[in-house]
Amino acid sequence: MRRIFTAPSGLDLHMFEWGYWRWQIIRCLPLGIVSAFFFAATGWSVLEANPPKYAASARIVLERNVGLGGTSKAQRTPEEVQHLQVVAHALKADFSATQSKAAQLSADAPFVANIESSRDKPTYLKIKSTMPDATAAIALAQTLSLRAIELSNGFQQHATDLAVNKLRESLRNATARLATAEVDLRSHSNQAPDLRIEELQDQASRLRATLRAAESKSAPENPEVAKLYGELATARGLYSDLHPKVRLIKIRIDKAIKQRPAGQTGQDLRFVKQRMQDIDAQIVASKDHQATADRLNAAVSSAKARVEAADDRLQAAMRANEANRITLKVVKDASLTGRNPAKVRVAILATIGLAALLLAIGVAALRIRFDAHLRRPRDLHDTLGLTPFATLPDLGPSLG
């Protein structure tokens, strides 16, 4: 039975009316449940439409050796940052080339490559991948970091090849000329005469001595021949045996001997003279062969010098490129970064549930607040300013 108010004002405003609030809760409970379910379902749908994504990152440091020591931190050049930018763009292009057209149209590349550079710290290339699966995110970041190192080495190798290409071509040409000169020298050496020049000159000296002895014996028999032999001796004192004047005197002696009557020479010297001519020809050929051999040896030596000079220039260029080479090295292996998406998802679900509960309470409170019906004595007092004298008892469902 409801309490009769006996306050001076005619109404006890501070008394809690349990029956009234129980009825309001029962009346507003379906609306609150519907509102909470609708909000929770909406939040769940939004959460399911955005699956959790795991972020993994790997860090690559740039190192550059100059001489025997590394580059100091205050000597970072724009060239190094530009090199990392080229590597990052090539990495994105390489990744896009391996993806299907549908994947390229549906989403962008699931990774970013950022360059971290300053004068007080080393230069880094940070690769961050975002994937729905943690293992896939780590694997992608690790693969991209290794691929970045391969691209960097490939770019530098290509630049080195372009820089030393002319030097290599020069070395190949010098080596080819050396091989040709050595072949010519070996071929010429195989055609060398059987006897050396000294031996041929010794034989020629002995034949000349024999010829002079024979000529001295037959010279007094003919005054003309004796005179010619005197001129020959004088000419030999002034010139060599190959001089045209000496040869002319010899021809005149031969003619004079042929014109003499038979039996005046005492000895036929034709065989000796023919042998001397053959030996003289061999001496001239040997001298020509020796001169050609000297020329070929000089050509081989010059070709070897050119090969050594070209090789030295090539090695110096390669050492310079190696000294200025930019090296990328992974200093931080791929690992997950940030908060665990699974824990974040649980927190979001708890937040959605709490928000749904608060929404249900808010909807019920608003329904009660804007209810215009008079349902209790307090409503009569608040609305019309009247104070009821008594209330009917609640007979319950049995007498309703």
Side-chain angles (χ1 to χ4, degrees), residues 280-339:
D280 290 339
Q282 291 180 17
I283 291 174
V284 173
S286 297
K287 290 182 178 180
D288 293 339
H289 183 276
Q290 186 63 37
T292 304
D294 294 340
R295 179 176 57 81
L296 292 176
N297 283 322
V300 170
S301 300
S302 177
K304 287 182 178 179
R306 286 195 295 268
V307 169
E308 292 177 358
D311 185 67
D312 291 341
R313 290 194 298 269
L314 177 60
Q315 296 299 328
M318 295 182 68
R319 284 193 299 269
N321 290 329
E322 187 65 25
N324 295 326
R325 187 178 184 86
I326 295 175
T327 304
L328 298 184
K329 183 174 67 176
V330 177
V331 294
K332 180 184 177 183
D333 292 330
S335 59
L336 295 177
T337 59
R339 298 181 61 185

Short mmCIF file of all heavy atoms in Angstrom, two decimals, residues 280-339:
data_model
loop_
_atom_site.label_atom_id
_atom_site.label_comp_id
_atom_site.label_asym_id
_atom_site.label_seq_id
_atom_site.Cartn_x
_atom_site.Cartn_y
_atom_site.Cartn_z
N ASP A 280 127.92 -13.29 -97.88
CA ASP A 280 127.53 -11.89 -97.74
C ASP A 280 126.01 -11.73 -97.73
O ASP A 280 125.45 -10.94 -96.95
CB ASP A 280 128.15 -11.06 -98.86
CG ASP A 280 129.67 -10.93 -98.72
OD1 ASP A 280 130.15 -11.12 -97.58
OD2 ASP A 280 130.34 -10.64 -99.74
N ALA A 281 125.35 -12.49 -98.61
CA ALA A 281 123.88 -12.44 -98.64
C ALA A 281 123.29 -12.95 -97.33
O ALA A 281 122.32 -12.39 -96.79
CB ALA A 281 123.35 -13.24 -99.82
N GLN A 282 123.88 -14.02 -96.77
CA GLN A 282 123.40 -14.54 -95.50
C GLN A 282 123.63 -13.55 -94.36
O GLN A 282 122.79 -13.42 -93.45
CB GLN A 282 124.10 -15.87 -95.18
CG GLN A 282 123.70 -17.02 -96.10
CD GLN A 282 124.40 -18.30 -95.75
OE1 GLN A 282 124.95 -18.44 -94.65
NE2 GLN A 282 124.41 -19.26 -96.68
N ILE A 283 124.78 -12.85 -94.43
CA ILE A 283 125.04 -11.84 -93.38
C ILE A 283 124.01 -10.73 -93.45
O ILE A 283 123.48 -10.27 -92.43
CB ILE A 283 126.47 -11.30 -93.54
CG1 ILE A 283 127.48 -12.40 -93.18
CG2 ILE A 283 126.67 -10.08 -92.66
CD1 ILE A 283 128.92 -12.00 -93.44
N VAL A 284 123.71 -10.25 -94.68
CA VAL A 284 122.70 -9.19 -94.83
C VAL A 284 121.33 -9.67 -94.34
O VAL A 284 120.61 -8.94 -93.63
CB VAL A 284 122.63 -8.74 -96.29
CG1 VAL A 284 121.47 -7.77 -96.51
CG2 VAL A 284 123.94 -8.09 -96.70
N ALA A 285 120.98 -10.93 -94.70
CA ALA A 285 119.69 -11.46 -94.25
C ALA A 285 119.65 -11.60 -92.73
O ALA A 285 118.63 -11.33 -92.08
CB ALA A 285 119.42 -12.81 -94.91
N SER A 286 120.80 -12.01 -92.14
CA SER A 286 120.83 -12.15 -90.69
C SER A 286 120.69 -10.79 -90.00
O SER A 286 120.00 -10.67 -88.98
CB SER A 286 122.15 -12.81 -90.27
OG SER A 286 122.24 -14.12 -90.78
N LYS A 287 121.34 -9.78 -90.56
CA LYS A 287 121.20 -8.44 -89.99
C LYS A 287 119.75 -7.94 -90.11
O LYS A 287 119.21 -7.34 -89.16
CB LYS A 287 122.15 -7.48 -90.69
CG LYS A 287 123.62 -7.74 -90.35
CD LYS A 287 124.53 -6.74 -91.04
CE LYS A 287 126.00 -6.97 -90.65
NZ LYS A 287 126.90 -6.01 -91.32
N ASP A 288 119.13 -8.19 -91.27
CA ASP A 288 117.72 -7.80 -91.41
C ASP A 288 116.84 -8.56 -90.42
O ASP A 288 115.92 -7.97 -89.81
CB ASP A 288 117.25 -8.08 -92.84
CG ASP A 288 117.94 -7.18 -93.86
OD1 ASP A 288 118.45 -6.12 -93.43
OD2 ASP A 288 117.94 -7.52 -95.05
N HIS A 289 117.10 -9.85 -90.24
CA HIS A 289 116.32 -10.65 -89.29
C HIS A 289 116.50 -10.12 -87.87
O HIS A 289 115.54 -10.02 -87.09
CB HIS A 289 116.74 -12.11 -89.37
CG HIS A 289 115.95 -13.01 -88.47
ND1 HIS A 289 116.24 -13.21 -87.15
CD2 HIS A 289 114.83 -13.76 -88.72
CE1 HIS A 289 115.37 -14.03 -86.60
NE2 HIS A 289 114.50 -14.40 -87.54
N GLN A 290 117.76 -9.77 -87.53
CA GLN A 290 118.02 -9.25 -86.20
C GLN A 290 117.34 -7.91 -85.98
O GLN A 290 116.78 -7.64 -84.91
CB GLN A 290 119.53 -9.11 -85.97
CG GLN A 290 119.92 -8.70 -84.57
CD GLN A 290 119.52 -9.73 -83.53
OE1 GLN A 290 119.59 -10.94 -83.81
NE2 GLN A 290 119.09 -9.28 -82.37
N ALA A 291 117.35 -7.06 -87.02
CA ALA A 291 116.67 -5.76 -86.90
C ALA A 291 115.16 -5.94 -86.73
O ALA A 291 114.53 -5.27 -85.91
CB ALA A 291 116.97 -4.91 -88.13
N THR A 292 114.61 -6.89 -87.51
CA THR A 292 113.17 -7.16 -87.38
C THR A 292 112.85 -7.73 -86.00
O THR A 292 111.84 -7.39 -85.37
CB THR A 292 112.70 -8.12 -88.47
OG1 THR A 292 113.04 -7.59 -89.75
CG2 THR A 292 111.20 -8.36 -88.39
N ALA A 293 113.72 -8.62 -85.49
CA ALA A 293 113.51 -9.19 -84.16
C ALA A 293 113.58 -8.11 -83.08
O ALA A 293 112.77 -8.09 -82.14
CB ALA A 293 114.54 -10.28 -83.89
N ASP A 294 114.53 -7.18 -83.24
CA ASP A 294 114.62 -6.08 -82.28
C ASP A 294 113.37 -5.22 -82.32
O ASP A 294 112.85 -4.78 -81.27
CB ASP A 294 115.86 -5.23 -82.57
CG ASP A 294 117.16 -6.00 -82.33
OD1 ASP A 294 117.11 -7.02 -81.60
OD2 ASP A 294 118.20 -5.60 -82.89
N ARG A 295 112.88 -4.97 -83.53
CA ARG A 295 111.66 -4.16 -83.64
C ARG A 295 110.47 -4.86 -83.02
O ARG A 295 109.65 -4.24 -82.32
CB ARG A 295 111.38 -3.86 -85.11
CG ARG A 295 110.12 -3.05 -85.37
CD ARG A 295 109.97 -2.73 -86.84
NE ARG A 295 109.95 -3.94 -87.65
CZ ARG A 295 108.87 -4.72 -87.81
NH1 ARG A 295 107.73 -4.38 -87.19
NH2 ARG A 295 108.91 -5.77 -88.57
N LEU A 296 110.35 -6.18 -83.25
CA LEU A 296 109.23 -6.93 -82.66
C LEU A 296 109.36 -7.01 -81.14
O LEU A 296 108.36 -6.95 -80.42
CB LEU A 296 109.18 -8.34 -83.26
CG LEU A 296 108.78 -8.41 -84.75
CD1 LEU A 296 108.85 -9.84 -85.25
CD2 LEU A 296 107.38 -7.85 -84.97
N ASN A 297 110.60 -7.18 -80.65
CA ASN A 297 110.78 -7.18 -79.19
C ASN A 297 110.40 -5.84 -78.58
O ASN A 297 109.80 -5.78 -77.50
CB ASN A 297 112.24 -7.51 -78.85
CG ASN A 297 112.54 -8.99 -78.99
OD1 ASN A 297 111.70 -9.82 -78.64
ND2 ASN A 297 113.71 -9.33 -79.50
N ALA A 298 110.75 -4.76 -79.28
CA ALA A 298 110.36 -3.44 -78.80
C ALA A 298 108.84 -3.28 -78.81
O ALA A 298 108.26 -2.70 -77.89
CB ALA A 298 111.02 -2.35 -79.66
N ALA A 299 108.20 -3.83 -79.85
CA ALA A 299 106.73 -3.76 -79.91
C ALA A 299 106.10 -4.55 -78.78
O ALA A 299 105.11 -4.13 -78.16
CB ALA A 299 106.24 -4.27 -81.27
N VAL A 300 106.67 -5.73 -78.47
CA VAL A 300 106.14 -6.54 -77.37
C VAL A 300 106.33 -5.82 -76.04
O VAL A 300 105.42 -5.78 -75.19
CB VAL A 300 106.83 -7.92 -77.35
CG1 VAL A 300 106.48 -8.68 -76.07
CG2 VAL A 300 106.40 -8.74 -78.56
N SER A 301 107.52 -5.23 -75.85
CA SER A 301 107.76 -4.50 -74.61
C SER A 301 106.82 -3.31 -74.47
O SER A 301 106.27 -3.05 -73.38
CB SER A 301 109.21 -4.03 -74.57
OG SER A 301 110.11 -5.13 -74.63
N SER A 302 106.61 -2.59 -75.58
CA SER A 302 105.68 -1.45 -75.53
C SER A 302 104.26 -1.91 -75.25
O SER A 302 103.54 -1.27 -74.47
CB SER A 302 105.74 -0.70 -76.86
OG SER A 302 104.82 0.37 -76.87
N ALA A 303 103.85 -3.04 -75.86
CA ALA A 303 102.49 -3.55 -75.61
C ALA A 303 102.34 -3.99 -74.16
O ALA A 303 101.30 -3.75 -73.53
CB ALA A 303 102.20 -4.72 -76.55
N LYS A 304 103.39 -4.63 -73.61
CA LYS A 304 103.32 -5.02 -72.20
C LYS A 304 103.22 -3.80 -71.29
O LYS A 304 102.47 -3.80 -70.30
CB LYS A 304 104.56 -5.83 -71.83
CG LYS A 304 104.57 -7.24 -72.39
CD LYS A 304 105.79 -8.00 -71.93
CE LYS A 304 105.78 -9.43 -72.46
NZ LYS A 304 106.98 -10.19 -72.03
N ALA A 305 103.96 -2.75 -71.62
CA ALA A 305 103.88 -1.53 -70.82
C ALA A 305 102.49 -0.91 -70.89
O ALA A 305 101.95 -0.45 -69.88
CB ALA A 305 104.92 -0.53 -71.30
N ARG A 306 101.89 -0.92 -72.08
CA ARG A 306 100.53 -0.38 -72.21
C ARG A 306 99.52 -1.23 -71.43
O ARG A 306 98.59 -0.70 -70.81
CB ARG A 306 100.13 -0.29 -73.68
CG ARG A 306 100.80 0.83 -74.45
CD ARG A 306 100.11 1.08 -75.77
NE ARG A 306 100.25 -0.07 -76.65
CZ ARG A 306 101.22 -0.24 -77.54
NH1 ARG A 306 102.16 0.69 -77.65
NH2 ARG A 306 101.26 -1.29 -78.32
N VAL A 307 99.70 -2.55 -71.46
CA VAL A 307 98.80 -3.43 -70.70
C VAL A 307 98.93 -3.16 -69.21
O VAL A 307 97.93 -3.05 -68.49
CB VAL A 307 99.10 -4.91 -71.02
CG1 VAL A 307 98.38 -5.83 -70.04
CG2 VAL A 307 98.69 -5.24 -72.44
N GLU A 308 100.15 -3.04 -68.73
CA GLU A 308 100.35 -2.76 -67.30
C GLU A 308 99.79 -1.40 -66.91
O GLU A 308 99.16 -1.26 -65.85
CB GLU A 308 101.85 -2.83 -66.99
CG GLU A 308 102.43 -4.24 -67.10
CD GLU A 308 103.93 -4.25 -66.86
OE1 GLU A 308 104.50 -3.15 -66.65
OE2 GLU A 308 104.52 -5.35 -66.86
N ALA A 309 99.98 -0.39 -67.77
CA ALA A 309 99.44 0.93 -67.46
C ALA A 309 97.91 0.92 -67.44
O ALA A 309 97.28 1.50 -66.55
CB ALA A 309 99.95 1.95 -68.47
N ALA A 310 97.31 0.23 -68.43
CA ALA A 310 95.84 0.15 -68.47
C ALA A 310 95.31 -0.62 -67.27
O ALA A 310 94.29 -0.23 -66.67
CB ALA A 310 95.39 -0.52 -69.77
N ASP A 311 95.99 -1.69 -66.89
CA ASP A 311 95.56 -2.46 -65.72
C ASP A 311 95.71 -1.64 -64.45
O ASP A 311 94.84 -1.70 -63.56
CB ASP A 311 96.38 -3.74 -65.63
CG ASP A 311 95.89 -4.64 -64.51
OD1 ASP A 311 94.77 -5.16 -64.61
OD2 ASP A 311 96.63 -4.81 -63.52
N ASP A 312 96.77 -0.86 -64.35
CA ASP A 312 96.95 0.00 -63.16
C ASP A 312 95.83 1.05 -63.07
O ASP A 312 95.30 1.29 -61.98
CB ASP A 312 98.31 0.68 -63.21
CG ASP A 312 99.46 -0.30 -63.02
OD1 ASP A 312 99.19 -1.40 -62.50
OD2 ASP A 312 100.59 0.02 -63.41
N ARG A 313 95.50 1.65 -64.20
CA ARG A 313 94.41 2.64 -64.19
C ARG A 313 93.08 1.99 -63.81
O ARG A 313 92.28 2.57 -63.05
CB ARG A 313 94.30 3.31 -65.55
CG ARG A 313 95.45 4.24 -65.89
CD ARG A 313 95.11 5.12 -67.08
NE ARG A 313 94.86 4.33 -68.27
CZ ARG A 313 95.79 3.99 -69.17
NH1 ARG A 313 97.06 4.37 -68.97
NH2 ARG A 313 95.48 3.28 -70.24
N LEU A 314 92.84 0.79 -64.34
CA LEU A 314 91.60 0.09 -64.02
C LEU A 314 91.54 -0.26 -62.54
O LEU A 314 90.51 -0.05 -61.88
CB LEU A 314 91.48 -1.18 -64.87
CG LEU A 314 90.27 -2.08 -64.61
CD1 LEU A 314 88.98 -1.31 -64.86
CD2 LEU A 314 90.32 -3.32 -65.47
N GLN A 315 92.64 -0.79 -61.99
CA GLN A 315 92.65 -1.15 -60.58
C GLN A 315 92.50 0.08 -59.69
O GLN A 315 91.82 0.04 -58.66
CB GLN A 315 93.95 -1.89 -60.24
CG GLN A 315 94.09 -3.23 -60.95
CD GLN A 315 92.99 -4.20 -60.59
OE1 GLN A 315 92.47 -4.19 -59.49
NE2 GLN A 315 92.63 -5.05 -61.55
N ALA A 316 93.14 1.19 -60.10
CA ALA A 316 93.01 2.42 -59.31
C ALA A 316 91.57 2.92 -59.31
O ALA A 316 91.04 3.35 -58.28
CB ALA A 316 93.95 3.49 -59.86
N ALA A 317 90.91 2.86 -60.49
CA ALA A 317 89.51 3.29 -60.56
C ALA A 317 88.62 2.39 -59.73
O ALA A 317 87.72 2.87 -59.02
CB ALA A 317 89.05 3.30 -62.02
N MET A 318 88.86 1.09 -59.77
CA MET A 318 88.04 0.16 -58.98
C MET A 318 88.27 0.36 -57.48
O MET A 318 87.33 0.27 -56.69
CB MET A 318 88.34 -1.27 -59.40
CG MET A 318 87.94 -1.59 -60.83
SD MET A 318 88.24 -3.31 -61.30
CE MET A 318 87.04 -4.14 -60.28
N ARG A 319 89.53 0.62 -57.09
CA ARG A 319 89.79 0.88 -55.67
C ARG A 319 89.11 2.17 -55.22
O ARG A 319 88.59 2.25 -54.10
CB ARG A 319 91.30 0.96 -55.43
CG ARG A 319 91.99 -0.39 -55.42
CD ARG A 319 93.39 -0.27 -54.86
NE ARG A 319 94.22 0.63 -55.65
CZ ARG A 319 94.99 0.24 -56.67
NH1 ARG A 319 95.01 -1.04 -57.02
NH2 ARG A 319 95.73 1.11 -57.33
N ALA A 320 89.13 3.20 -56.10
CA ALA A 320 88.46 4.45 -55.74
C ALA A 320 86.96 4.24 -55.59
O ALA A 320 86.33 4.75 -54.64
CB ALA A 320 88.75 5.51 -56.79
N ASN A 321 86.36 3.47 -56.51
CA ASN A 321 84.93 3.21 -56.41
C ASN A 321 84.60 2.37 -55.17
O ASN A 321 83.58 2.56 -54.52
CB ASN A 321 84.43 2.49 -57.66
CG ASN A 321 84.43 3.37 -58.88
OD1 ASN A 321 84.24 4.58 -58.77
ND2 ASN A 321 84.68 2.81 -60.05
N GLU A 322 85.50 1.43 -54.86
CA GLU A 322 85.26 0.60 -53.67
C GLU A 322 85.41 1.41 -52.39
O GLU A 322 84.69 1.20 -51.42
CB GLU A 322 86.24 -0.57 -53.68
CG GLU A 322 85.99 -1.59 -52.59
CD GLU A 322 84.67 -2.31 -52.75
OE1 GLU A 322 84.17 -2.39 -53.89
OE2 GLU A 322 84.12 -2.78 -51.73
N ALA A 323 86.37 2.37 -52.41
CA ALA A 323 86.56 3.21 -51.22
C ALA A 323 85.36 4.11 -50.98
O ALA A 323 85.00 4.38 -49.83
CB ALA A 323 87.83 4.04 -51.37
N ASN A 324 84.73 4.58 -52.05
CA ASN A 324 83.57 5.48 -51.92
C ASN A 324 82.25 4.72 -51.99
O ASN A 324 81.20 5.34 -52.16
CB ASN A 324 83.61 6.53 -53.03
CG ASN A 324 84.80 7.45 -52.90
OD1 ASN A 324 85.23 7.76 -51.80
ND2 ASN A 324 85.36 7.87 -54.02
N ARG A 325 82.30 3.42 -51.88
CA ARG A 325 81.09 2.62 -52.01
C ARG A 325 80.16 2.83 -50.82
O ARG A 325 80.59 2.91 -49.68
CB ARG A 325 81.47 1.14 -52.11
CG ARG A 325 80.29 0.22 -52.42
CD ARG A 325 80.78 -1.20 -52.56
NE ARG A 325 79.69 -2.09 -52.94
CZ ARG A 325 79.30 -2.32 -54.18
NH1 ARG A 325 79.92 -1.70 -55.16
NH2 ARG A 325 78.31 -3.14 -54.45
N ILE A 326 78.88 2.91 -51.12
CA ILE A 326 77.84 3.05 -50.09
C ILE A 326 77.33 1.66 -49.73
O ILE A 326 76.94 0.88 -50.61
CB ILE A 326 76.68 3.94 -50.60
CG1 ILE A 326 77.18 5.37 -50.84
CG2 ILE A 326 75.53 3.94 -49.60
CD1 ILE A 326 76.13 6.28 -51.44
N THR A 327 77.34 1.34 -48.46
CA THR A 327 76.93 0.03 -47.98
C THR A 327 75.68 0.17 -47.11
O THR A 327 75.64 1.01 -46.22
CB THR A 327 78.05 -0.64 -47.17
OG1 THR A 327 79.23 -0.70 -47.98
CG2 THR A 327 77.65 -2.04 -46.76
N LEU A 328 74.69 -0.65 -47.41
CA LEU A 328 73.47 -0.71 -46.59
C LEU A 328 73.51 -1.99 -45.76
O LEU A 328 73.83 -3.07 -46.27
CB LEU A 328 72.22 -0.69 -47.47
CG LEU A 328 72.01 0.56 -48.33
CD1 LEU A 328 70.68 0.47 -49.06
CD2 LEU A 328 72.05 1.82 -47.49
N LYS A 329 73.18 -1.85 -44.49
CA LYS A 329 73.23 -2.99 -43.57
C LYS A 329 72.02 -2.92 -42.64
O LYS A 329 71.67 -1.85 -42.14
CB LYS A 329 74.52 -2.97 -42.77
CG LYS A 329 74.67 -4.16 -41.83
CD LYS A 329 76.04 -4.16 -41.17
CE LYS A 329 76.19 -2.97 -40.23
NZ LYS A 329 77.47 -3.00 -39.50
N VAL A 330 71.40 -4.06 -42.45
CA VAL A 330 70.23 -4.14 -41.56
C VAL A 330 70.72 -4.08 -40.12
O VAL A 330 71.47 -4.95 -39.67
CB VAL A 330 69.44 -5.43 -41.82
CG1 VAL A 330 68.27 -5.53 -40.85
CG2 VAL A 330 68.94 -5.48 -43.26
N VAL A 331 70.33 -3.04 -39.42
CA VAL A 331 70.71 -2.90 -38.01
C VAL A 331 69.57 -3.27 -37.07
O VAL A 331 69.79 -3.48 -35.88
CB VAL A 331 71.18 -1.47 -37.71
CG1 VAL A 331 72.45 -1.15 -38.46
CG2 VAL A 331 70.10 -0.45 -38.08
N LYS A 332 68.36 -3.37 -37.62
CA LYS A 332 67.21 -3.78 -36.80
C LYS A 332 66.36 -4.71 -37.66
O LYS A 332 65.79 -4.29 -38.66
CB LYS A 332 66.39 -2.57 -36.35
CG LYS A 332 65.18 -2.95 -35.51
CD LYS A 332 64.36 -1.74 -35.15
CE LYS A 332 63.11 -2.12 -34.37
NZ LYS A 332 62.26 -0.96 -34.06
N ASP A 333 66.30 -5.97 -37.27
CA ASP A 333 65.50 -6.92 -38.01
C ASP A 333 64.01 -6.58 -37.89
O ASP A 333 63.59 -5.85 -36.98
CB ASP A 333 65.75 -8.34 -37.51
CG ASP A 333 67.15 -8.81 -37.82
OD1 ASP A 333 67.70 -8.36 -38.84
OD2 ASP A 333 67.70 -9.60 -37.05
N ALA A 334 63.25 -7.10 -38.83
CA ALA A 334 61.82 -6.81 -38.84
C ALA A 334 61.15 -7.34 -37.57
O ALA A 334 61.36 -8.49 -37.17
CB ALA A 334 61.17 -7.45 -40.07
N SER A 335 60.37 -6.49 -36.95
CA SER A 335 59.64 -6.86 -35.73
C SER A 335 58.38 -6.03 -35.65
O SER A 335 58.27 -4.97 -36.28
CB SER A 335 60.51 -6.65 -34.48
OG SER A 335 60.91 -5.29 -34.39
N LEU A 336 57.42 -6.51 -34.85
CA LEU A 336 56.16 -5.79 -34.70
C LEU A 336 56.37 -4.51 -33.91
O LEU A 336 57.17 -4.47 -32.97
CB LEU A 336 55.13 -6.68 -34.00
CG LEU A 336 54.68 -7.92 -34.77
CD1 LEU A 336 53.72 -8.75 -33.92
CD2 LEU A 336 54.03 -7.54 -36.10
N THR A 337 55.64 -3.48 -34.29
CA THR A 337 55.72 -2.20 -33.61
C THR A 337 54.32 -1.78 -33.16
O THR A 337 53.32 -2.24 -33.70
CB THR A 337 56.31 -1.13 -34.55
OG1 THR A 337 55.47 -1.01 -35.71
CG2 THR A 337 57.72 -1.49 -34.99
N GLY A 338 54.29 -0.90 -32.19
CA GLY A 338 53.01 -0.40 -31.70
C GLY A 338 52.31 -1.40 -30.79
O GLY A 338 52.86 -2.44 -30.40
N ARG A 339 51.06 -1.12 -30.46
CA ARG A 339 50.28 -1.98 -29.58
C ARG A 339 49.77 -3.20 -30.34
O ARG A 339 49.60 -3.19 -31.56
CB ARG A 339 49.10 -1.21 -29.00
CG ARG A 339 49.51 -0.02 -28.14
CD ARG A 339 48.30 0.68 -27.59
NE ARG A 339 47.49 -0.21 -26.76
CZ ARG A 339 46.32 0.13 -26.23
NH1 ARG A 339 45.83 1.36 -26.43
NH2 ARG A 339 45.65 -0.72 -25.48
#
